[in-house]
């Protein structure tokens, strides 16, 4: 059985998708959470020099949130069946990551006027448009997921991103019943529910 060590800051952030995928896969892993002050020195020994980083068997270091999630999902059978399915699921995952990036970029913007504009654009245009597209995907799929016959890393990333946004906007999915059902489907999956119930409580 392979060993896994995930290194990231002490928060959900970009590391949580990978944690959730490993949990869904039923894989134990070392959840190494570092302080910001330790990062400048730590990254000197990383290639590429960014996190999250998944160390496999103590000697292979994998980077890039969506690619690592794809690796875990495909290795453990929930990343799609055909090559085409895998590509579609990965493209959805990267699209959701772009939404996540826009949300956190707006949140951490220091210029208050610019921050307000960015949050308005995201809340009134970017996210509603994306939800409408994903609602169509879920509506066309008999399994009630974004693509394929069961939960994939794209569905998990959708859940994770919406979970974060819903801490401030709890009615986010009220206008998209298929996506609301998808959110519940993922959140009640036993291994994911167990991880979420026991994970460290962090602000981000």
């Amino acid at each position: 059985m392979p060993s896994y060590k995930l290194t990231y800051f002490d928060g959900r952030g970009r590391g949580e998708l990978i944690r959730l995928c490993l949990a869904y896969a039923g894989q134990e892993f070392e959840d190494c959470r570092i302080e910001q002050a330790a990062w400048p020195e730590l990254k000197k020994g990383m290639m590429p020099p960014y996190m999250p980083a998944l160390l496999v068997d103590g000697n292979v270091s994998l980077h890039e949130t969506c690619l690592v999630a794809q690796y875990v999902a495909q290795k453990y059978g929930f990343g799609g069946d055909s090559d085409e399915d895998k590509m579609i699921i990965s493209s959805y995952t990267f699209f959701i990551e772009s939404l996540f990036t826009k949300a956190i970029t707006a949140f951490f913007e220091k210029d208050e006027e610019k921050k307000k504009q960015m949050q308005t654009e995201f809340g009134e245009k970017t996210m509603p448009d994306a939800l409408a597209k994903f609602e169509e995907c879920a509506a066309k799929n008999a399994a009630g997921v974004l693509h394929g016959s069961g939960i994939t890393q794209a569905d998990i990333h959708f859940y994770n991103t919406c979970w974060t946004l819903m801490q401030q906007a709890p009615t986010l999915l009220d206008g998209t019943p298929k996506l609301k059902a998808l959110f519940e489907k993922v959140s009640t999956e036993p291994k994911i529910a167990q991880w979420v119930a026991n994970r460290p409580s962090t602000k981000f």
Side-chain angles (χ1 to χ4, degrees):
M1 178 180 291
S3 66
Y4 298 111
K5 177 181 178 180
L6 181 68
T7 301
Y8 190 63
F9 298 115
D10 185 19
R12 297 183 307 276
R14 298 186 188 280
E16 196 65 11
L17 171 60
I18 301 169
R19 295 182 184 118
L20 287 165
C21 284
L22 286 166
Y24 184 59
Q27 298 301 302
E28 294 184 2
F29 64 98
E30 180 182 351
D31 188 17
C32 180
R33 295 169 179 252
I34 70 165
E35 299 297 328
Q36 289 279 350
W39 175 229
E41 186 64 28
L42 181 62
K43 72 179 180 180
K44 292 179 182 178
M46 283 190 176
M47 182 58 195
Y50 45 74
M51 298 188 297
L54 183 67
L55 187 65
V56 182
D57 291 336
N59 57 21
V60 177
S61 189
L62 308 177
H63 303 252
E64 284 284 4
T65 299
C66 292
L67 291 178
V68 177
Q70 174 182 294
Y71 161 80
V72 173
Q74 292 182 3
K75 184 175 181 68
Y76 293 103
F78 59 97
D81 297 324
S82 68
D83 290 341
E84 292 76 18
D85 286 337
K86 291 174 182 177
M87 283 297 297
I88 291 170
I89 290 164
S90 291
S91 69
Y92 287 1
T93 307
F94 276 99
F95 180 39
I96 296 165
E97 180 70 7
S98 74
L99 298 172
F100 182 80
T101 297
K102 289 178 181 178
I104 61 174
T105 299
F107 184 86
F108 286 108
E109 174 57 49
K110 295 181 179 180
D111 184 304
E112 288 301 321
E113 184 61 32
K114 185 176 180 181
K115 179 176 183 174
K116 184 178 179 180
Q117 293 175 354
M118 292 169 70
Q119 289 181 326
T120 299
E121 173 72 13
F122 182 81
E124 296 183 2
K125 175 65 176 174
T126 305
M127 197 62 185
D129 286 354
L131 290 177
K133 292 180 184 296
F134 279 131
E135 178 76 358
E136 291 181 9
C137 293
K140 293 176 182 177
N141 192 324
V145 295
L146 297 180
H147 186 80
S149 58
I151 292 173
T152 69
Q153 75 268 27
D155 303 299
I156 294 172
H157 203 6
F158 170 79
Y159 159 77
N160 182 51
T161 298
C162 289
W163 189 97
T164 298
L165 295 175
M166 288 166 67
Q167 304 312 296
Q168 300 296 322
T171 62
L172 177 69
L173 300 178
D174 283 1
T176 51
K178 296 297 184 182
L179 293 181
K180 192 170 186 177
L182 173 59
F183 182 90
E184 290 300 315
K185 181 182 181 73
V186 177
S187 68
T188 56
E189 202 291 322
K191 292 174 185 175
I192 288 179
Q194 182 179 26
W195 170 260
V196 172
N198 295 301
R199 69 187 175 188
S201 178
T202 58
K203 188 174 182 180
F204 304 111

